[in-house]
Amino acid sequence: MSATGAGLEGIIAAESSICYIDGEAGVLSYQGFDINTLAENATFEEVIYLLWNGKLPTQPQLDELKASLTAHREIPAEVTAFLKANPTGLPMHVLRTAVSMLSLYDPAAADMSPEANKLKAIKLMSQTSTIVTSFHRLRTGKEVVPGDPSLSMAGNFLYTLNGVKPDAVMERVFDIALTLHADHELNASTFAARVTAATLSDIYSTVTSAIGALKGPLHGGANEEVIKLLLQAGNKAKALEMMREMLENKVKIPGFGHRVYKTIDPRAIHLKKLSKQLAESTGQIDLYEASEAVQEAMLTAKGKPLNPNVDFYSASAYYSLGIPVDLFTPIFAVSRMSGWTAHVLEQFHNNRLIRPRADYKGLPVGQPWVGIADRVA
Ligand code: ACO
């Protein structure tokens, strides 16, 4: 931990039963279920249920959740009009504003009852996805694709983005990626959501705060930076050269390092496998090979091992799925909406205002007042 507490490193800021991380051992679990178990067995809808309810759903419970998510996919016409009117907007700016707008058209926006908040969490889960895919269709001059109720969240996302139903492998890969990004304890965006929730503000405001925090390149924005770097490099040798140059100039390599993990991020292990599988099936192996070479070089490049985080291999995996680069971070938001809302509901359930203190380093207190004419520039 830093002496000043900068970055709140190592500080316990909340009690939570949602997510457990052991950064030394590379363990991550949602509600007691190891991420490896979930990545291998669960669907994203089961993970949403688990995060919100603390247990896996029975078949009827899962069916009910799916029906509810499907029933609330449609976004208000005013939000669609906003998406249409801003085709050149950065997708994360558009998403943040559109999610915030949803509150204007929800008559229960200010209702703080647990039932109303649960319903709003369902709407946010489904409608974030619709906002991202509708925006992309509209900005590329295409019609919005109405969702297909028979498809999973993952399948429907890819269908409403591309207008073509994904094959089973693509759907499953994307579904696993959503599971892997669903929650991560008190990361910056979830903490932002909980700070807003702790003032007893509404759930739409909490996730709007979270989206703003996720966007930054030190957090969810890193996946876009990773792919830009790999694409600019184009091949393994150039990628290594660029990496070394960045390190010499003290520039951080996107997709590496983590505040909590001191070993490899367990999510990166799965995403690496998925990225390889997709690269082989699409024949676009160059990016994957460049990623692997950078990962290997980063083990020794700084005199200490630096491991990939969740953003490193998700970048090449999404790229192989044909997803536009500037939608990588919005997709992170589509998935993390499940974790954000779980944490916000938990915060509402047992709330105390989050209000830390600062170590004051300013002028000595009690400065004398100086009239404007006597002030020095
Ligand atoms: N490239 C090069 N060196 C790095 C990197 C990196 N990506 N990450 C950490 N380091 C080095 C630092 O230079 C520092 O070295 P030093 O002790 O010799 O000065 C040491 O590792 C510790 O790094 P800090 O920046 O102090 O670690 P912090 O916990 O504050 O930051 C962070 C974590 C922001 C994730 C950082 O590793 C980083 O900027 N990574 C790149 C951006 C990124 O991938 N973000 C996504 C994180 S995962 C997520 O949010 C979804």
Side-chain angles (χ1 to χ4, degrees), residues 23-61:
E24 301 291 332
V27 171
L28 166 63
S29 72
Y30 303 162
Q31 302 276 17
F33 288 85
D34 191 88
I35 195 66
N36 300 317
T37 308
L38 294 173
E40 277 156 30
N41 299 288
T43 61
F44 182 51
E45 283 85 347
E46 285 177 296
V47 169
I48 297 170
Y49 188 97
L50 175 66
L51 289 171
W52 286 349
N53 298 287
K55 57 183 183 165
L56 290 170
T58 61
Q59 191 63 53
Q61 287 168 334

Side-chain angles (χ1 to χ4, degrees), residues 2-31:
S2 82
T4 60
L8 299 180
E9 185 173 353
I11 303 288
I12 303 294
E15 279 186 4
S16 175
S17 58
I18 298 170
C19 186
Y20 171 79
I21 304 174
D22 180 338
E24 301 291 332
V27 171
L28 166 63
S29 72
Y30 303 162
Q31 302 276 17

Side-chain angles (χ1 to χ4, degrees), residues 73-101:
R73 277 178 181 162
E74 208 175 313
I75 55 176
E78 292 86 347
V79 177
T80 308
F82 160 74
L83 301 177
K84 198 169 187 173
N86 290 282
T88 57
L90 289 178
M92 281 302 279
H93 290 185
V94 170
L95 178 64
R96 184 198 57 222
T97 306
V99 166
S100 176
M101 273 182 85

Side-chain angles (χ1 to χ4, degrees), residues 12-326:
I12 303 294
E15 279 186 4
S16 175
S17 58
I18 298 170
C19 186
Y20 171 79
I21 304 174
D22 180 338
E24 301 291 332
V27 171
L28 166 63
S29 72
Y30 303 162
Q31 302 276 17
F33 288 85
D34 191 88
I35 195 66
N36 300 317
T37 308
L38 294 173
E40 277 156 30
N41 299 288
T43 61
F44 182 51
E45 283 85 347
E46 285 177 296
V47 169
I48 297 170
Y49 188 97
L50 175 66
L51 289 171
W52 286 349
N53 298 287
K55 57 183 183 165
L56 290 170
T58 61
Q59 191 63 53
Q61 287 168 334
L62 183 61
D63 292 344
E64 194 189 330
L65 175 69
K66 281 184 180 171
S68 195
L69 287 167
T70 305
H72 290 99
R73 277 178 181 162
E74 208 175 313
I75 55 176
E78 292 86 347
V79 177
T80 308
F82 160 74
L83 301 177
K84 198 169 187 173
N86 290 282
T88 57
L90 289 178
M92 281 302 279
H93 290 185
V94 170
L95 178 64
R96 184 198 57 222
T97 306
V99 166
S100 176
M101 273 182 85
L102 292 176
S103 68
L104 302 176
Y105 308 101
D106 185 342
D111 184 341
M112 292 297 280
S113 66
E115 300 72 33
N117 278 329
K118 196 71 191 285
L119 180 58
K120 284 181 272 182
I122 286 174
K123 289 182 182 176
L124 280 163
M125 247 351 285
S126 284
Q127 293 175 13
T128 302
S129 188
T130 308
I131 288 169
V132 175
T133 59
S134 300
F135 172 64
H136 183 65
R137 300 288 300 176
L138 292 167
R139 73 173 173 169
T140 49
K142 297 180 185 134
E143 294 290 318
V144 167
V145 178
D148 179 336
S150 71
L151 291 176
S152 65
M153 279 200 73
N156 194 61
F157 181 93
L158 294 172
Y159 172 55
T160 53
L161 184 72
N162 300 320
V164 183
K165 292 202 179 142
D167 65 31
V169 174
M170 283 172 83
E171 182 178 353
R172 181 62 191 143
V173 166
F174 192 60
D175 189 80
I176 296 172
L178 294 178
T179 287
L180 293 171
H181 287 82
D183 195 49
H184 211 233
E185 202 220 39
L186 288 194
N187 59 88
S189 56
T190 304
F191 189 55
R194 284 192 85 129
V195 168
T196 305
T199 70
L200 296 183
S201 187
D202 68 285
I203 194 166
Y204 289 103
S205 298
T206 68
V207 297
T208 304
S209 302
I211 295 171
L214 183 75
K215 174 178 167 285
L218 295 189
H219 189 13
N223 55 13
E224 293 182 21
E225 299 306 317
V226 170
I227 203 72
K228 283 182 202 156
L229 183 78
L230 292 171
L231 288 174
Q232 203 189 332
N235 61 49
K236 200 159 118 178
K238 182 78 184 148
L240 289 171
E241 189 190 315
M242 285 175 70
M243 181 204 89
R244 289 196 187 104
E245 209 175 288
M246 286 171 78
L247 289 177
E248 263 170 41
N249 292 316
K250 308 247 175 280
V251 178
K252 298 247 176 81
I253 312 295
F256 284 86
H258 200 275
R259 175 61 64 79
V260 182
Y261 292 117
K262 304 301 168 211
T263 179
I264 191 161
D265 180 334
R267 302 166 297 178
I269 298 171
H270 287 275
L271 286 160
K272 181 177 180 178
K273 255 191 261 167
L274 297 178
S275 174
K276 186 173 188 202
Q277 188 187 339
L278 285 170
E280 282 167 355
S281 71
T282 57
Q284 297 174 324
I285 198 79
D286 290 2
L287 274 187
Y288 174 78
E289 285 181 351
S291 309
E292 212 177 24
V294 171
Q295 181 192 350
E296 206 178 302
M298 284 294 281
L299 283 175
T300 49
K302 283 208 60 169
K304 61 179 174 190
L306 266 170
N307 284 298
N309 57 49
V310 69
D311 285 321
F312 191 64
Y313 282 103
S314 64
S316 45
Y318 291 159
Y319 191 77
S320 296
L321 280 170
I323 292 170
V325 171
D326 62 2

